[in-house]
Amino acid sequence: MAELSIGGYTFREVEPRRYVVSVDPGRLRELAELIVREESYLSTISAVDLPKENAIELNYVFWSTKHRVALIVKTRVSRERPVVPTIVDIVPGALGGELEAYDLLGIVFEGNTRLRRGFLVPEDLVSKGIYPLRKDAGV
Amino acid sequence: MAVVEIPIGPQHPALHEPIMLRVRAEGEEVVEVAVNTGYNHRGIEKLMERNSWVRGMYLAGRVCGICNAVHTQVYVQGVEKLMGVEPPPRANYIRTIVMELERIHSHMLISAVMAEIVGFDTLFMLIMRDRERVMYLKELVTGNRVHADIHILGGVKRDIDEVRRDRILSELRVIEERLKYYRKVFEEDYTLLKRLAEVGRIRKSEALSHCLVGPTLRGSGVKSDVRFDDPYAAYSEIPFDVVVRDEGDSWARMVVRLEEALVSVGIVRYALEHLPQGPAVPKAFPRAAKVGEVVSRVEAPRGELIYHIVSTGGGNPYRVKIRTPSFLNIINTEFTYLGHRLADVPVIFSSYDPCISCTERVLVVDEKKGVRRYVSLRELARWGTT
């Protein structure tokens, strides 16, 4: 399997044109800055609730138009305190992804001033404080 | 001058996606735009977790009416990877044909809508008339005019016979002529140029940093097309050009679409003429997937469409994350309206290929007192005369 090194971080190829690296949430901003320099845009932020491991996994999927590969950054936060730093100031296009992950799974992106409930979730669920895509949401 | 807040949306009688733009204008100049969403969140991601892999396929096709075949494709190709199934070459070609027919009619639709929005109703009707030819071809191949539902895990549901193939090829000649004419109209018509050129310009660096995709990205000079960069279905075997323009304005985005529709005609023709022999319709398909995850991408008419599918084994997906191209193109383009006139807002918005409407109320904000009150459109119109 091939590898790709960007600023000291080694991305491992898991399938054709998909390179993955796992980091701590604290490294996200540094890594985002490095990836943006590779003429990349952020495709999506995909959050997966893992109640058995008491964690929520975040997948930042970037597409590098320079390397023509997807650069996937994986990070994990605890379900009780799901806080990661925002990357909206580095990648303005991350806004939608962060708003969505906050509204549907309750991930707090520290530093993003536009986070709000009701971005996608209807009011009746918001008023009950439910994050619908959590596995124990009961919706 | 008082800043007037005008809610544009969230209802539109003709198109999909209820969404609202809160536009703040000082006189005629737009000073702030905020996008309001959440009017139609259907919880399809959650529904998919509850349903089997096969049912998920039908759900995916119903995420969007216009680009349903690409949604099914991106889901099916991801699930096929998790299941270890490889579709036969003929099936891949048929999938490609259906997806390209879809791209042609989608690009024709937004060109028609754009014509209507700038007040060119004749052009709207002409394009919609000719779009019906493509819808007919889609019906000929899939059995349905709008919802293709031709995919099945490991192949397609219907094969294309010789009679259908010849019928499509002859119809494509007419469609190609019409598309060339509409491209000429968009390139040369004085009214369209006046309304579209230099409006909503996005620089190359802005398009990348704001994560725009599809014709919007390519209209700003970035050569990025999933069909070319990350080929799926039969695209690695079919020669085609990626259309790029450097202007970055609403006009460039529309011309990119019409050019692309012409490229799509070429792809359909090539695929039909080089249709591999062999089976296309599988006799059976698997019901369970292996443990794993896959990031599946396709080029929808509006840009990169991406699904992140997680499987923990068994008959259901554990998580399906859907990110549609319009999600990026609408939410991340608030900055492109600034400095333009109010009348340009619908043009810029339509150039991203979504849909909007105008409600009949206006919210006036008194910046000094912080008071808000609603005014009817009729009342607003009278202000101009006094």
Side-chain angles (χ1 to χ4, degrees), chain B residues 108-124:
Chain B
M108 288 178 89
L109 178 78
I110 192 60
S111 304
V113 169
M114 182 58 98
E116 190 199 16
I117 275 176
V118 302
F120 199 162
D121 279 332
T122 316
L123 185 60
F124 165 78

Side-chain angles (χ1 to χ4, degrees), chain B residues 47-314:
Chain B
L47 264 178
M48 281 186 168
E49 293 174 7
R50 298 259 174 89
N51 282 287
S52 66
W53 292 105
V54 180
R55 283 186 176 180
M57 188 178 76
Y58 293 99
L59 277 171
R62 272 136 193 90
V63 171
C64 176
I66 300 292
C67 39
N68 57 79
V70 282
H71 272 275
T72 322
Q73 168 74 29
V74 69
Y75 177 83
V76 165
Q77 75 184 22
V79 174
E80 278 169 351
K81 259 185 201 154
L82 290 170
M83 289 181 168
V85 184
E86 187 78 35
R90 192 176 174 88
N92 267 335
Y93 270 70
I94 294 173
R95 287 176 179 184
T96 308
I97 291 166
V98 174
M99 284 188 287
E100 288 309 314
L101 286 175
E102 190 172 87
R103 191 179 318 275
I104 299 169
H105 86 65
S106 172
H107 284 351
M108 288 178 89
L109 178 78
I110 192 60
S111 304
V113 169
M114 182 58 98
E116 190 199 16
I117 275 176
V118 302
F120 199 162
D121 279 332
T122 316
L123 185 60
F124 165 78
M125 286 173 201
L126 286 174
I127 300 180
M128 287 308 268
R129 180 197 66 186
D130 291 326
R131 175 175 174 263
E132 211 49 42
R133 290 178 186 275
V134 191
M135 306 308 281
Y136 166 71
L137 291 187
K138 219 177 152 189
E139 186 177 346
L140 201 67
V141 180
T142 68
N144 288 312
R145 191 176 153 277
V146 177
H147 267 283
D149 275 340
I150 195 157
H151 293 69
I152 192 86
L153 299 170
V156 289
K157 286 183 197 161
R158 286 161 67 121
D159 206 344
I160 295 180
D161 58 21
E162 299 284 307
V163 181
R164 286 207 177 87
R165 194 195 70 180
D166 296 343
R167 185 84 188 83
I168 299 168
L169 284 172
S170 73
E171 195 72 18
L172 277 180
R173 279 194 284 276
V174 184
I175 293 167
E176 190 175 23
E177 281 310 306
R178 296 307 297 166
L179 281 171
K180 278 184 183 158
Y181 172 72
Y182 295 131
R183 182 183 61 183
K184 187 164 171 265
V185 172
F186 268 85
E187 277 173 350
E188 293 174 9
D189 183 80
Y190 180 72
T191 318
L192 286 171
L193 280 173
K194 263 272 199 224
R195 291 301 306 271
L196 300 178
E198 312 266 320
V199 172
R201 175 164 286 183
I202 305 173
R203 287 197 299 269
K204 188 176 174 176
S205 59
E206 287 172 334
L208 270 178
S209 68
H210 285 81
C211 305
L212 308 180
V213 289
T216 310
L217 184 61
R218 291 192 288 278
S220 291
V222 182
K223 191 181 175 185
S224 173
D225 188 320
V226 183
R227 295 176 292 170
F228 186 76
D229 298 333
D230 193 6
Y232 53 96
Y235 289 110
S236 55
E237 296 160 29
I238 299 174
F240 69 98
D241 293 328
V242 178
V243 183
V244 180
R245 286 202 82 98
D246 293 325
E247 289 89 344
D249 52 5
S250 301
W251 178 81
R253 293 190 274 278
M254 296 315 294
V255 174
V256 163
R257 288 197 184 96
L258 285 163
E259 286 273 353
E260 259 180 32
L262 279 164
V263 170
S264 295
V265 170
I267 295 176
V268 175
R269 189 176 287 142
Y270 183 94
L272 281 169
E273 283 165 355
H274 296 79
L275 204 56
Q277 292 302 316
V281 184
K283 290 201 170 68
F285 52 85
R287 302 276 175 175
K290 292 177 290 196
V291 179
E293 62 181 312
V294 61
V295 172
S296 181
R297 303 165 76 239
V298 299
E299 185 74 20
R302 285 158 188 78
E304 178 208 39
L305 169 66
I306 187 164
Y307 275 43
H308 177 223
I309 308 170
V310 182
S311 164
T312 49

Side-chain angles (χ1 to χ4, degrees), chain A residues 90-103:
Chain A
I90 304 163
V91 190
L95 178 68
E98 294 195 352
L99 285 169
E100 192 186 14
Y102 174 68
D103 204 19

Side-chain angles (χ1 to χ4, degrees), chain A residues 15-18 39-51 57 59 61 63 65 68 70 72 74 90-97 99-100 104-105 114 116 118-122 132-139, chain B residues 33-41 45-46 49-50 77 81 207-213 217 222-224 226 228-232 293-297 304 306 308 310 317-323 327-328 331-332 334:
Chain A
E15 52 178 307
R17 298 180 292 277
R18 304 282 183 273
E39 292 168 30
S40 314
Y41 65 83
L42 178 68
S43 273
T44 185
I45 302 172
S46 168
V48 185
D49 188 19
L50 305 164
E57 186 186 74
N59 297 272
V61 183
W63 179 260
T65 56
R68 287 165 53 183
I72 303 164
K74 281 179 179 287
I90 304 163
V91 190
L95 178 68
L99 285 169
E100 192 186 14
L104 294 172
L105 283 119
R114 291 185 62 181
R116 63 184 164 90
F119 172 66
L120 294 171
V121 177
L133 280 187
R134 290 213 181 181
K135 292 289 174 184
D136 52 5
V139 288
Chain B
V33 172
V35 178
N36 256 18
T37 51
Y39 297 100
N40 202 14
H41 193 72
E45 293 180 6
K46 189 81 181 175
E49 293 174 7
R50 298 259 174 89
Q77 75 184 22
K81 259 185 201 154
L208 270 178
S209 68
H210 285 81
C211 305
L212 308 180
V213 289
L217 184 61
V222 182
K223 191 181 175 185
S224 173
V226 183
F228 186 76
D229 298 333
D230 193 6
Y232 53 96
E293 62 181 312
V294 61
V295 172
S296 181
R297 303 165 76 239
E304 178 208 39
I306 187 164
H308 177 223
V310 182
Y318 182 77
R319 168 91 165 99
V320 182
K321 166 82 181 94
I322 303 171
R323 201 274 296 139
F327 185 76
L328 295 179
I331 290 169
N332 296 335
E334 289 171 352

